[in-house]
Amino acid sequence: MQAGLRPERDSRMRLGSDWMVASDLTLAVDAFDGKVEDRLAFVEDGYLPVNRGSAHVRGLAMRAEHRLTSALSLSARYHVARLRQEQGGRVQEQQLMLEGLWAQGPWRCRVAAAQSSAPALMQDDGGLRLEAGVDYALAGRRPMWVGLHLTDPDQLASGRLLRADASGAARPEDQAQALMLTAALAW
């Protein structure tokens, strides 16, 4: 292992509210606060992570979702966050994401486009990101799920705190553009 490499940790708090304006329109707002410590990143052409720094993050996220039909929905999400970096200095991260989701029977398709600022704790320019995915779930005695996904993670420290998933190990596939074929079987 690398000498001096520290594990990435975060603590977070989120307070939010969803408002169903109509049966097909939902508005949501979340205020969040947290700390990302010893952010891990994989440097270009590297296979071992390095620490990129720590920051206190505070921000606001707003989302609107409109169900056009029972199978098709569109959503828009904007978040802005202020980061106070451990080594001094304050920066701002922001992102606007538009997403379409279609789900019918065993099929599920998602397309998203996001415009992001440069991430505070990474060496990335931000910019436009595109993601897409197709999933097929076979029901039955032994359910199976198959998916093909194009990923392009945003690298934002504030985005990490907004995700619902728990913290975990830093994996290269979480930080790199990728085309992934996945399958899950229940036995």
Side-chain angles (χ1 to χ4, degrees), residues 4-185:
L5 185 65
R6 295 171 306 281
E8 180 176 326
R9 296 172 308 209
D10 66 56
S11 59
R12 51 183 135 177
M13 179 189 73
R14 182 168 49 184
L15 179 63
S17 177
D18 287 13
W19 177 37
M20 187 174 256
V21 178
S23 62
D24 59 351
L25 181 63
T26 303
L27 301 176
V29 65
D30 288 309
F32 59 94
D33 186 85
K35 182 162 178 72
V36 176
E37 297 180 54
D38 300 319
R39 180 71 193 255
L40 291 173
F42 291 87
V43 294
E44 192 170 324
D45 298 328
Y47 62 93
L48 291 175
V50 295
N51 290 112
R52 287 289 193 198
S54 302
H56 179 255
V57 183
R58 181 172 289 160
L60 183 68
M62 297 164 280
R63 179 179 55 87
E65 181 177 343
H66 181 55
R67 285 196 88 52
L68 299 172
T69 69
S70 61
L72 182 64
S73 66
L74 299 175
S75 65
R77 181 176 58 104
Y78 175 76
H79 84 258
V80 61
R82 293 184 189 262
L83 286 82
R84 188 177 66 238
Q85 294 176 310
E86 189 175 77
Q87 67 270 27
R90 295 175 186 266
V91 293
Q92 182 171 295
E93 291 181 339
Q94 54 188 335
Q95 181 181 73
L96 174 63
M97 177 181 279
L98 303 175
E99 178 180 43
L101 179 64
W102 176 79
Q104 183 88 33
W107 290 98
R108 184 173 188 263
C109 300
R110 175 186 172 269
V111 175
Q115 178 68 41
S116 302
S117 65
L121 299 177
M122 301 290 188
Q123 293 177 342
D124 188 3
D125 294 337
L128 182 64
R129 299 182 329 32
L130 298 174
E131 294 188 338
V134 177
D135 295 306
Y136 185 78
L138 296 167
R141 203 177 108 205
R142 297 189 197 275
M144 182 175 129
W145 166 80
V146 178
L148 183 64
H149 297 264
L150 172 66
T151 63
D152 189 5
D154 60 33
Q155 307 294 324
L156 300 176
S158 54
R160 176 174 172 78
L161 295 180
L162 282 171
R163 287 190 210 95
D165 57 341
S167 300
R171 303 174 307 174
E173 60 266 25
D174 293 336
Q175 299 187 15
Q177 295 175 340
L179 180 62
M180 296 188 296
L181 176 64
T182 54
L185 309 169

